[in-house]
Amino acid sequence: DNLSDTLKKLKITAVDRTEDSLEGCLDCLLQALAQNNMETSEKIQGSGILQLFASLLIPQSSCTAKVANIIAEVAKNEFMRIPCVDAGLISPLVQLLNSKDQEVLLQTGRALGNICYDSQSSKEQFASTNIAEELVKLFKKQIEHDKREMIFEVLAPLAENDAIKLQLVEAGLVECLLEIVQEKVDSEKEDDIAELKTASDLMVLLLLGDESMQKLFEGGKGNVFQRVLSWIPSNNHQLQLAGALAIANFARNDGNCIHMVDNGIVEKLMDLLDRHVEDGNVTVQHAALSALRNLAIPVVNKAKMLSAGVTEAVLKFLKSEMPPVQFKLLGTLRMLIDAQAEAAEQLGKNVKLVERLVEWCEAKDHAGVMGESNRLLSALIRHSKSKDVIKTIVQSGGIKHLVTMATSEHVIMQNEALVALALIAALELGTAEKDLESAKLVQILHRLLADERSAPEIKYNSMVLICALMGSESLHKEVQDLAFLDVVSKLRSHENKSVAQQASLTEQRLTVES
């Protein structure tokens, strides 16, 4: 009852602007929010009082800090964030960031931070204000840790928006962050360690936007890029992590990747990984492997990275039991051997690696690791086209996984599996025959060809594989028993020319062989 009375009274006093009674009402609301935030927030929303708050957020008023405090409290609730935006509170709050009053600044920062926390609509609205510039200006003036921390809390959620990332970069935030890192790097004070982490995390976040990242890369000559490079060999784990993540973010286009590999970044990342092999920091391992994986994407970088010894550096983590590290390790190796026959053969004959891949192909709890292991198994065969690699994979029990992979929900993985199986059938059918039989490959191919939803390339490669299997007596018999001719002859009129042609060839082969 008290709360309802207060809300009614507040409506009247907000219009009259009688500061004393207004202050009493605001105190009462803050008390109610402290006792039961959610219920009080619901009542505030229902009363329509939020719209009045916009007119109370004026620099000269003695009540402004309390109004901002109330907004910060109600915006802790997700359901209140959009109503705060709709009530037009952002613009007056942003203006208050120019206030000289420390309490007003603190509460305004909290309010803005809470409104934009996890809320995409409100971030869009922030992007059209000058909040980025105001916050950076305000940040430069702050010396106290608490005030800086408060501004960080507003900046972090805002910086998730790409348009705001660029505005923050243009307003000079990065220079402030680099300064903080330099100031705090050797300190052991808890506040300084926390501030170093926040500053370096925010720096990495700014690099997630394509435009802001490219602006800071400056063709690899930029001061920011050079400073971030110097974090990698540092002895501070937080900086090593931020440095590796920043490199992974810079490595998002071929031009940047080629420049960085030509300028020795690979050696720095390998040194960093070396420092974390034994009782290493998992997040640093994961970040450094992410960077190497991205750097290995451009074709011209692969041979350079292979000759620099990246595979050996990465294989040291084969014993890791951490799925995020396993996932990145697999992705890095897969990128490195793409179209690199010699490297693929070397890795494919590495029994320890192949056995580990077969083990991870069964990691049902970690779909990412399972998928990447299957893809790497297939890639070793596809890029090496080597009998020895196929024998190693057969001996390690990998064939059944490639057959299962042909039924994946992802067309790209199905295709990779079918191409690898066709190479196995062409090069080492005798060795793999029993495993292909027990994995029910022929039945799976029949199903893929009969299924109308199968993509054209899946149908095409399934028929190529059928023809390759005819060299095995037992598999040939399975093909005959399953009446493949019916399915294949229907595909002769397929709208895809390649599929139709392959169907004619396969039909002739089946007819002759029967």
Side-chain angles (χ1 to χ4, degrees):
D1 289 349
N2 259 356
L3 183 57
S4 306
D5 289 347
T6 301
L7 289 169
K8 279 179 198 152
K9 193 173 170 191
L10 189 55
K11 277 188 180 173
I12 300 161
T13 49
V15 179
D16 298 348
R17 296 275 161 87
T18 23
E19 301 252 328
D20 290 349
S21 43
L22 191 55
E23 207 146 335
C25 292
L26 296 173
D27 285 337
C28 184
L29 275 191
L30 283 166
Q31 273 178 335
L33 283 163
Q35 282 167 8
N36 189 334
N37 190 318
M38 200 176 193
E39 198 181 316
T40 307
S41 295
E42 282 170 352
K43 287 197 171 160
I44 288 174
Q45 190 190 356
S47 71
I49 206 90
L50 277 181
Q51 282 74 4
L52 288 178
F53 283 167
S55 64
L56 295 177
L57 290 169
I58 43 175
Q60 315 76 288
S61 164
S62 59
C63 299
T64 303
K66 283 181 179 167
V67 176
N69 188 353
I70 291 169
I71 296 168
E73 288 300 316
V74 300
K76 284 179 178 174
N77 302 290
E78 200 179 337
F79 66 89
M80 289 300 287
R81 288 170 198 155
I82 300 286
C84 283
V85 175
D86 293 342
L89 300 179
I90 290 177
S91 190
L93 284 168
V94 171
Q95 296 313 311
L96 286 176
L97 291 174
N98 292 307
S99 168
K100 300 275 184 289
D101 184 316
Q102 294 300 312
E103 184 61 18
V104 169
L105 279 178
L106 179 69
Q107 299 305 344
T108 301
R110 286 185 60 237
L112 286 167
N114 290 350
I115 291 172
C116 69
Y117 184 79
D118 265 2
S119 167
Q120 212 39 53
S121 64
S122 57
K123 281 181 198 138
E124 304 286 312
Q125 283 204 279
F126 276 97
S128 61
T129 68
N130 62 342
I131 187 167
E133 206 181 325
E134 295 291 350
L135 282 171
V136 175
K137 247 194 265 174
L138 186 65
F139 189 76
K140 286 176 179 169
K141 289 182 207 161
Q142 300 307 321
I143 304 159
E144 292 170 51
H145 169 78
D146 289 351
K147 296 282 159 31
R148 276 178 167 182
E149 203 58 37
M150 177 272 289
I151 301 170
F152 270 142
E153 280 171 23
V154 185
L155 284 171
L158 279 178
E160 285 167 15
N161 176 290
D162 279 1
I164 298 177
K165 279 188 184 74
L166 191 58
Q167 290 170 8
L168 290 169
V169 168
E170 286 171 344
L173 177 62
V174 172
E175 288 71 15
C176 300
L177 298 177
L178 289 172
E179 233 168 84
I180 289 174
V181 168
Q182 207 165 353
E183 273 173 35
K184 312 289 180 187
V185 66
D186 297 319
S187 170
E188 291 184 3
K189 279 166 44 188
E190 215 169 292
D191 278 357
D192 289 347
I193 293 168
E195 204 165 327
L196 176 83
K197 178 176 174 5
T198 311
S200 53
D201 284 349
L202 189 49
M203 179 80 208
V204 171
L205 183 58
L206 291 175
L207 292 173
L208 277 172
D210 285 339
E211 281 186 85
S212 49
M213 177 274 286
Q214 210 53 44
K215 191 176 175 66
L216 294 171
F217 189 64
E218 289 183 70
K221 307 265 188 297
N223 168 43
V224 173
F225 174 65
Q226 296 303 328
R227 292 276 285 277
V228 163
L229 272 189
S230 72
W231 295 355
I232 294 174
S234 99
N235 290 320
N236 182 306
H237 279 188
Q238 175 57 35
L239 280 195
Q240 293 171 0
L241 171 64
L245 287 172
I247 296 303
N249 285 341
F250 280 127
R252 287 212 309 279
N253 64 50
D254 283 8
N256 293 5
C257 289
I258 293 164
H259 178 88
M260 288 193 278
V261 168
D262 287 346
N263 285 276
I265 188 66
V266 170
E267 290 70 16
K268 284 188 168 70
L269 288 166
M270 291 199 309
D271 288 347
L272 176 60
L273 276 175
D274 248 5
R275 294 162 70 183
H276 288 275
V277 172
E278 287 315 314
D279 47 354
N281 179 307
V282 174
T283 51
V284 174
Q285 292 172 358
H286 180 260
L289 288 167
S290 295
L292 286 171
R293 181 198 174 280
N294 289 1
L295 290 165
I297 293 172
V299 178
V300 293
N301 280 357
K302 296 180 196 295
K304 292 173 189 169
M305 291 175 71
L306 287 165
S307 61
V310 173
T311 39
E312 294 76 7
V314 168
L315 285 171
K316 290 177 187 169
F317 294 89
L318 206 53
K319 56 183 186 288
S320 170
E321 292 304 330
M322 294 297 178
V325 173
Q326 296 166 353
F327 181 72
K328 287 296 175 188
L329 171 150
L330 292 163
T332 306
L333 291 176
R334 188 165 63 79
M335 284 302 157
L336 280 170
I337 62 163
D338 192 7
Q340 307 295 311
E342 203 180 312
E345 177 158 20
Q346 207 184 339
L347 279 177
K349 292 193 292 194
N350 178 331
V351 178
K352 263 191 178 150
L353 169 66
V354 174
E355 284 178 348
R356 193 71 160 134
L357 291 183
V358 170
E359 182 191 326
W360 286 341
C361 281
E362 290 167 5
K364 301 231 174 353
D365 296 343
H366 302 286
V369 172
M370 194 161 89
E372 277 292 346
S373 303
N374 278 300
R375 292 190 77 183
L376 184 52
L377 264 188
S378 152
L380 291 169
I381 295 168
R382 287 183 295 112
H383 298 303
S384 70
K385 300 183 175 58
S386 150
K387 290 179 167 226
D388 288 340
V389 170
I390 292 169
K391 284 176 187 161
T392 308
I393 288 173
V394 172
Q395 281 155 11
S396 305
I399 296 294
K400 63 181 180 202
H401 296 300
L402 289 169
V403 175
T404 306
M405 183 181 168
T407 64
S408 163
E409 56 189 330
H410 304 290
V411 173
I412 193 164
M413 285 176 69
Q414 280 186 292
N415 222 19
E416 287 171 358
L418 291 168
V419 173
L421 289 164
L423 283 164
I424 291 169
L427 297 169
E428 275 297 323
L429 187 54
T431 316
E433 186 180 48
K434 280 199 169 60
D435 287 353
L436 293 171
E437 226 177 306
S438 61
K440 308 233 179 317
L441 174 62
V442 174
Q443 291 89 320
I444 284 169
L445 292 173
H446 189 277
R447 207 162 65 229
L448 289 174
L449 287 171
D451 189 346
E452 286 175 11
R453 292 165 303 179
S454 294
E457 58 267 45
I458 301 302
K459 290 190 190 291
Y460 177 88
N461 283 321
S462 296
M463 289 188 281
V464 170
L465 183 47
I466 285 294
C467 294
L469 294 176
M470 302 299 260
S472 149
E473 209 177 306
S474 56
L475 291 166
H476 184 175
K477 187 178 180 310
E478 282 191 16
V479 171
Q480 284 181 313
D481 292 350
L482 268 176
F484 265 83
L485 263 173
D486 301 350
V487 185
V488 171
S489 56
K490 279 183 195 155
L491 292 174
R492 275 192 341 209
S493 55
H494 196 278
E495 58 188 0
N496 182 298
K497 281 215 175 72
S498 304
V499 172
Q501 276 174 327
Q502 187 57 43
S504 296
L505 291 171
T506 308
E507 186 180 42
Q508 284 166 24
R509 183 82 193 267
L510 288 169
T511 312
V512 171
E513 299 277 347
S514 64

